[in-house]
Amino acid sequence: AADAIRAMPQGEQQQAIRAMVDTLETRLKADGGTIDEWQRLLRSLSVIGEKDRAVAALKAAREKLAADPQAIATLGRIAADLALEKEGQP
C-alpha cells in the first residue's frame, strides 16, 4: 500500500493518507486497539497537522487503555514527544 501511495500524485497521496488515518481513528475509537495502533494514530494525526484530533485521540486512548498502566505510561511519553499536552498534565 505504501508503494502505491508513493506512486500517486501529491494531492491524491494526501487524500489516501487522510483516508487511512480516518479509518484507523474510527476503528480505534469504536473498538479500541493496541498501544502500537494508538501510537501510530497519534503520530499520524500530528504529522498531518491535526493536533486537536490527536489530543482527542489521546484522551480516547487513555480511556480505552485505562487498565494497562504500562500503556498509560507510553501514552504519556508519546504525548510529550508530540507536544500534545502541557508539561505535568496527565
Side-chain angles (χ1 to χ4, degrees):
D3 288 337
I5 290 173
R6 279 192 282 276
M8 293 177 178
Q10 185 69 26
E12 288 180 32
Q13 283 181 8
Q14 295 303 318
Q15 287 178 336
I17 290 167
R18 284 185 178 273
M20 287 189 299
V21 171
D22 291 348
T23 300
L24 179 60
E25 180 181 30
T26 299
R27 183 176 60 79
L28 291 179
K29 285 185 174 180
D31 304 329
T34 67
I35 185 62
D36 290 337
E37 290 172 314
W38 283 106
Q39 182 173 346
R40 186 176 335 128
L41 176 62
L42 294 170
R43 291 191 186 287
S44 296
L45 288 169
S46 294
V47 166
I48 64 173
E50 296 280 354
K51 186 172 181 175
D52 290 343
R53 282 175 63 192
V55 169
L58 175 63
K59 182 177 186 238
R62 285 186 166 136
E63 290 169 3
K64 296 282 187 183
L65 298 171
D68 184 344
Q70 189 172 1
I72 296 300
T74 299
L75 288 171
R77 287 191 297 276
I78 295 164
D81 287 350
L82 300 175
L84 297 179
E85 57 193 11
K86 294 182 177 78
E87 195 66 37
Q89 199 179 6

